[in-house]
Amino acid sequence: MERTKSMLWSSILLTFLLNMTLAEKPIPQWPMHQFPNPKVKIIEDKVIVIPESSSALTQDPGPDYRLPTNLIPLNYFLQIRPIIDKDYPGIGNKDTAPGFVRITVSCANSTNQIVMHQKFLTVNESSIQVKSVSDETVVAVVNVEYDEPRNFIVINLSSQLIQNEIYEISILFTANVPPNDSLRGLYSEQYIDPRTNQTKVMAATQLEPLRARQVLVCFDEPTYKATFDVVIGRTENFTSLGNGPLFGTEPDTENPGWFWDMFNTTVKMPSYLLALAVSEYSYSEAVSFYRLPVRVYGPQHLVEQGLAQLASDSSAKLMQYFETKYGIPHNMPKVDSISVPYKRGAMENYGLITYGEYLLMYYENNTLTTELMDIYNVLAHELGHQWFGNLVTCKYIWLNEGFATYVSYESMRTLWPDFKMLDYMLHDTVNPALVYDAGPSSHPIHQEAYNAEQIGVNMDTIGYSKGGAVVRMMISFLGEETFYRGIRLYHDSLYDSVAEQDDLFLALDVAVNDTGVQLPRSVIETMHTWTLQKGFPLVRVNLNGPESLAFSQETWQNANVRNGTNAPNTTWNVPVKYLVQTGQDAGSEGSLWLLQDEGSQNMTMQNGNGWVLTNPDAGGFYRTLYDFQLSSRIQQQLQRNHSVFPSAARLRLFDDQFTLGFQKYVAIQSSLEFTRYLGNETENAVWSSVLGNLGKIRGLYNSDELPSDYKALRDYLLPRLESSLNLLSGDDAATIMLQSLLLEWSCSMNSTACDESAASYYEQWMSAPDTNPVPADFQSTYYCKISQQGGVNAFRFLHNEYKKTTSRHQRSRLGPALACNQDSLLTLLVMVLENEQYGLDKVDSISIFQKMMQSAEGRLAIMAVIELSPELFLEYFENNVNSLVQILSPLTQILGTEEQASEFEAFVQETQETFNGALNSTLNTINQNVEWMNDFREPITTWLASNA
């Protein structure tokens, strides 16, 4: 069969090569850009499956999807036996978990029905027993019903449960433990131990938001907090973990070779924080830093290399920081973290936090600085949840996720200041939130959610990123002292309880009164304008006479909806800070409020010819539009001395100005005027924002049909990139990340300095192949450049290095670099399709193909092969259509002419049946690129060319 496939590939490639030879159209030889695909930052593994069509979403399932409030759970005793390695006759089958749960409940209202949650469980109905704790009276079960849409199990009783009595509900059941399951619950994952080449298996849980019901019968809503006593069954070769510490192990006398691990009772917590794991892992423990044991569990071959030590030590530092900051001790007796192979993101389970393996393992000299930043940031997010979400459980998602998002950046400011994370938060979190909040999928931060679909809608950019931005704004107008005083009041009053958003706002109002902060409206009144309605304001600042400024607000609207008939007239209570010029290179801070029920505000300027800049601390969640004269004054100050404006203010200024241009509030030329000074800019977060906005221009101008447009961009931008690079010094994290970013852009524009550095590294490496001279943070860029300019010999050298190394980090960088060699693209295509023969990992095939798609010849080769035999290409990726979509995803950044869109549409139609319409979204994006180019290409190119 494999030989037949090989012959088919050879035939397809021979046909393709013949067509290439006979083709009359020459391949343009413009330099290939090395721009990366947009980074999707996965913080947490809380994905909900939501119908693609908005019409399919249950619009208003209502409170009937909530459990009745007749019974309140107090404690769960859970005994469960995950079977993950093989079948055990008489015990259970592989990929199942036989279990028993005894739930102690308080009867709040008399009822003859018990309604709880279950999903995918096999319930032993005859085992169900309901018993009074006070007198051990058994209440007979009449029958059991299931409400599948609501995941309800309904136990009908022969008599009423008595109000204020305590009852025990006992149930035998079997849960599923599916391997590699995207719907999570209790699931298993496999990994290879390279020391023995054995396949190992482990199991873990992912229960938020509504998956505890897949593991046990329970009250699976966050308002129902209870304690848990957990007993986990395992065989001798495995160990187990739970939320609480292990206090004992007993042999299973009925099943030799099995053991029961017993864990301490947990604190009160909602069902989604329940966690258990079974594995053959070992652990790394924090050396000091914190009063409780802090451990990171992972595969033995990784832990023994010391790869988990950084995560364990960093977790201990963060726990100490948060405990000191909030003044409330962590209320679980341990802090364990466990790596899960192939898991995306993390989950903040009380006492046992789960992470993707890449977030816990630090490879010295191989982990990039940006990857290290993500490790710290996600650790801080999950550990911040121990206070925001775990200690005080929040009824609404934004209170959980918004706070955890903000504190993940704020804590890094203190513990790892060289990352400059409060500035980077603006690029990483606030800017994306503003974009999303202006789009069609936006919604209020605070809204009810009754079922999985609605919860999934809330667990989005609004809940996480806008939530974090709103927390940042509250700190900005309240001040840190008042804010954290309010947080301590909030924690004290709601310890071990469930919070509404108004609980937080009322606590902050008490803190405002205590500290004497003057506000025009209460915190609760102010914040309702930000949490109960979607969108955000555009603040206009206009000269209103020679020494007067007028501030006003209106609803921000994107260009495609701004001229509609149903224009919103939403207003907010907007805290506006500003910096006003007082001298040539000096300014003083001030503030005012634009209130929801009032009009514009006027301000007198001492310097009638001076500038004013809003949002100097970037705390406000709004965009600012200045009139022409004020814009010109800000541009002049940037060129004269940009450091007068704080770096956070410059970042917000750039994101506002580019968005104003692209959404047609101002001419795009006006936005570009702000970039003239960039050769003097040395802040990573600012450049990240600027280049994030210029990325679309670079991608579409990379088109081989637009050499003059690309030249205009290169001639204008490259000198500024190189100038900034030359100003950088030091080895702090923010500087290294900026060097990496600017280097990638300048190399993609064929910087002479980059060419020379790449040639030097190549020469050093060739002379001493066992010593790689290229710093890890710059490897992807320089590997590509070496491949691009080194010809066939460089291609062979890098391919040989790929085969020599066992490092997944190195292979993930060397593989795509092979695609930068324009002389060897067809050779590489054969190598990837016959990957085993050429020593390439199949896992790298998508990233290699993506890099090939960034050159005209590579696109032609891949798409021709797909057209010649789409079925065989799909079979290569095990019929996973998403792999094809990933491979072709770079086209959404590159194709933007009508001719290109037309050619791709023909390709989509040609392959429509095979790929089931999976490329329609890619085609829609390319058509949007055409519209964008029609709007902006000519003014951008003209401005760049005239200012190069």
Side-chain angles (χ1 to χ4, degrees), residues 549-598:
L549 291 171
F551 293 77
S552 62
Q553 65 163 305
E554 63 193 64
T555 306
W556 171 276
Q557 290 184 281
N558 286 347
N560 62 333
V561 298
R562 193 158 60 243
N563 297 321
T565 55
N566 296 320
N569 189 28
T570 310
T571 54
W572 292 260
N573 290 322
V574 188
V576 179
K577 290 185 177 180
Y578 56 81
L579 191 66
V580 63
Q581 187 172 10
T582 56
Q584 173 150 341
D585 289 327
S588 64
E589 292 190 12
S591 64
L592 56 83
W593 284 80
L594 295 173
L595 298 177
Q596 186 177 38
D597 53 359
E598 296 183 6

Side-chain angles (χ1 to χ4, degrees), residues 829-886:
L829 182 58
V830 175
M831 289 167 59
V832 175
L833 297 175
E834 301 286 351
N835 62 293
E836 291 185 7
Q837 181 179 343
Y838 293 96
L840 296 178
D841 294 338
K842 193 170 183 178
V843 70
D844 291 323
S845 58
I846 290 179
S847 61
I848 292 172
F849 282 146
Q850 287 176 327
K851 182 65 78 172
M852 290 179 68
M853 293 298 293
Q854 294 177 15
S855 72
E857 188 171 342
R859 291 197 295 276
L860 180 61
I862 293 174
M863 294 176 72
V865 170
I866 294 175
E867 280 188 292
L868 282 167
S869 184
E871 296 85 2
L872 200 59
F873 195 88
L874 194 55
E875 185 181 343
Y876 175 80
F877 287 105
E878 301 174 359
N879 294 313
N880 185 352
V881 176
N882 289 333
S883 296
L884 175 73
V885 176
Q886 284 181 270

Side-chain angles (χ1 to χ4, degrees), residues 462-630:
I462 296 297
Y464 280 76
S465 298
K466 185 177 180 180
V470 165
V471 171
R472 181 178 179 133
M473 183 173 65
M474 287 192 289
I475 295 172
S476 176
F477 72 76
L478 291 174
E480 289 205 9
E481 179 187 354
T482 299
F483 179 80
Y484 285 110
R485 183 183 182 90
I487 291 301
R488 284 187 285 272
L489 292 170
Y490 168 75
H491 278 140
D492 288 343
S493 62
L494 292 158
Y495 190 93
D496 259 354
S497 300
V498 178
E500 303 266 1
Q501 71 164 11
D502 286 358
D503 294 324
L504 170 68
F505 299 151
L506 289 170
L508 291 172
D509 271 323
V510 172
V512 165
N513 292 332
D514 290 346
T515 57
V517 170
Q518 298 297 309
L519 298 177
R521 300 285 186 270
S522 67
V523 174
I524 192 169
E525 187 178 355
T526 297
M527 294 311 300
H528 277 178
T529 68
W530 294 95
T531 62
L532 300 182
Q533 54 191 15
K534 67 180 181 178
F536 58 89
L538 172 67
V539 174
R540 289 183 182 265
V541 186
N542 297 302
L543 285 169
N544 188 26
E547 295 183 348
S548 178
L549 291 171
F551 293 77
S552 62
Q553 65 163 305
E554 63 193 64
T555 306
W556 171 276
Q557 290 184 281
N558 286 347
N560 62 333
V561 298
R562 193 158 60 243
N563 297 321
T565 55
N566 296 320
N569 189 28
T570 310
T571 54
W572 292 260
N573 290 322
V574 188
V576 179
K577 290 185 177 180
Y578 56 81
L579 191 66
V580 63
Q581 187 172 10
T582 56
Q584 173 150 341
D585 289 327
S588 64
E589 292 190 12
S591 64
L592 56 83
W593 284 80
L594 295 173
L595 298 177
Q596 186 177 38
D597 53 359
E598 296 183 6
S600 62
Q601 294 286 324
N602 293 324
M603 186 191 85
T604 301
M605 294 179 67
Q606 294 180 350
N607 181 356
N609 296 316
W611 44 258
V612 64
L613 187 79
T614 66
N615 221 359
D617 65 348
F621 192 73
Y622 57 84
R623 297 195 186 278
T624 305
L625 174 57
Y626 304 95
D627 67 21
F628 178 78
Q629 282 183 283
L630 290 173

Side-chain angles (χ1 to χ4, degrees), residues 139-181:
V139 183
V141 175
V142 175
N143 60 23
V144 179
E145 299 176 282
Y146 299 91
D147 183 337
E148 295 298 340
R150 295 187 290 181
N151 305 151
F152 285 176
I153 177 172
V154 181
I155 303 171
N156 293 305
L157 305 174
S158 62
S159 60
Q160 296 278 322
L161 300 181
I162 301 170
Q163 187 176 19
N164 297 325
E165 284 287 307
I166 306 298
Y167 294 88
E168 291 179 345
I169 307 163
S170 300
I171 305 172
L172 287 170
F173 64 91
T174 300
N176 296 313
V177 190
N180 312 312
D181 186 47

Side-chain angles (χ1 to χ4, degrees), residues 306-331:
L307 302 181
Q309 193 63 47
L310 178 132
S312 57
D313 289 345
S314 301
S315 296
K317 291 177 183 178
L318 283 159
M319 289 299 294
Q320 182 61 52
Y321 171 82
F322 287 130
E323 197 164 282
T324 302
K325 185 84 172 180
Y326 306 130
I328 296 180
H330 181 56
N331 62 347

